[in-house]
Amino acid sequence: MKKIFNLNKNDLISIVGAGGKTSLMFSLAENLRSDNKVLVTTTTKIFLPRMSQYDFITVGEEEISTSSDLNEKGIYVYGKEINSQNKLIGIDKEVCSKLKNYFDYVLVESDGSKEKLLKGWKECEPVVPTGTNKTIGVFDISTIGKIIDNDLVHNVEEFLNITGASVYENMTIDYAAKLILHEKGLFKNSCGERILFINKAENYEDTLLSYRLKKVIESMNEEYIKLIVAGSAKYNIYKKIDS
């Protein structure tokens, strides 16, 4: 995965979008786990991970650098507190940049989507840390053909403004491309290299749709996105999409 996503030591990687952010973040962390100190955190909130997904966890301390375990390789999880919904409340985006000095990789879930598969972005979203040098935007290819409504989309009004779609229309490749490329879309507030991850390309049809989406994106703005990867965060399948 390091090679596929072009990751390098000292990267601060922000993950935005909908339809697989947390799964991708922990998949990346697991891949880096044995040879590196990897910090997993959020500037929004995530469900508290399973114990098998991390080696160390710090909750409530102002500085994770005070942890006595910080010299050990593995996955570190850090947050301000755990709320009544068993969610880990994230840290300030300015703190993330400082933590780069203590870890080989910092992975930050920088967006929230209320567990919906698509989203539009309000003025204050996403919360991308300063110092981010790679922003991975997650798009769920299984949404193509689904009906656009409040069940599918978080912040549906903003989504409609970005894509030009209407409620109860079917989601299309063209709407997806607009969502990804719009200045208020998937990579809003992004820093560093933009990497698109097309999630849930788990069968032949959705893989073909991923290639179609790549071609539409490149026809609209070839230089905007540095790298496009398709696959499945659930099944740990990842492949760069070539022309």
Side-chain angles (χ1 to χ4, degrees):
M1 288 181 71
K2 264 199 311 185
K3 192 170 183 180
I4 291 171
F5 283 92
N6 193 29
L7 304 184
N8 302 292
K9 282 198 173 183
N10 299 316
D11 276 347
L12 195 167
I13 303 145
S14 288
I15 302 174
V16 298
K21 294 186 303 295
T22 306
S23 295
L24 175 64
M25 181 166 66
F26 279 99
S27 182
L28 285 168
E30 182 62 33
N31 189 260
L32 298 166
R33 186 180 204 166
S34 61
D35 298 322
N36 301 282
K37 290 188 296 179
V38 184
L39 176 63
V40 172
T41 188
T42 179
T43 53
T44 57
K45 54 189 176 183
I46 58 173
F47 280 108
L48 191 67
R50 301 184 304 275
M51 291 181 66
S52 62
Q53 291 179 292
Y54 61 85
D55 300 289
F56 311 98
I57 187 166
T58 303
V59 178
E61 296 182 15
E62 289 188 7
E63 289 289 345
I64 195 174
S65 58
T66 62
S67 171
S68 61
D69 300 316
L70 206 55
N71 291 323
E72 300 293 330
K73 292 178 180 178
I75 297 172
Y76 294 73
V77 172
Y78 180 38
K80 283 183 181 177
E81 61 179 294
I82 300 170
N83 69 11
S84 59
Q85 298 174 306
N86 203 37
K87 287 188 174 183
L88 187 70
I89 305 301
I91 60 178
D92 294 335
K93 64 180 184 178
E94 290 78 11
V95 174
C96 290
S97 296
K98 297 177 183 177
L99 294 174
K100 286 178 70 173
N101 298 325
Y102 302 99
F103 296 93
D104 297 310
Y105 296 89
V106 177
L107 304 173
V108 187
E109 184 165 324
S110 305
D111 208 355
S113 55
K114 301 287 187 183
E115 299 182 68
K116 296 184 180 180
L117 301 184
L118 292 170
K119 76 168 289 183
W121 288 266
K122 293 184 180 295
E123 192 64 32
C124 59
E125 298 175 314
V127 188
V128 176
T130 53
T132 293
N133 61 304
K134 288 185 173 73
T135 302
I136 301 179
V138 178
F139 176 76
D140 185 336
I141 197 68
S142 76
T143 59
I144 302 299
K146 286 186 165 62
I147 294 173
I148 298 167
D149 60 15
N150 281 298
D151 292 329
L152 185 68
V153 184
H154 178 50
N155 300 334
V156 69
E157 184 176 343
E158 285 77 9
F159 175 88
L160 299 179
N161 288 336
I162 291 167
T163 60
S166 301
V167 177
Y168 305 128
E169 274 193 277
N170 290 329
M171 183 65 180
T172 67
I173 290 286
D174 286 342
Y175 290 148
K178 289 177 183 177
L179 186 73
I180 291 162
L181 294 174
H182 196 283
E183 63 180 6
K184 294 183 178 180
L186 180 60
F187 289 100
K188 178 174 173 277
N189 298 340
S190 64
C191 298
E193 294 179 2
R194 301 181 189 93
I195 300 170
L196 174 63
F197 174 54
I198 304 173
N199 195 23
K200 299 185 187 173
E202 297 166 1
N203 57 46
Y204 181 72
E205 180 180 346
D206 286 336
T207 300
L208 283 181
L209 286 174
S210 300
Y211 277 85
R212 282 182 55 199
L213 177 57
K214 178 181 186 286
K215 287 184 177 181
V216 174
I217 288 170
E218 289 182 340
S219 71
M220 294 171 70
N221 192 337
E222 186 174 358
E223 302 299 323
Y224 186 69
I225 295 172
K226 174 78 172 179
L227 174 67
I228 300 178
V229 177
S232 170
K234 181 178 180 180
Y235 296 112
N236 295 311
I237 301 168
Y238 303 97
K239 181 182 179 181
K240 289 182 183 179
I241 299 185
D242 298 319
S243 298

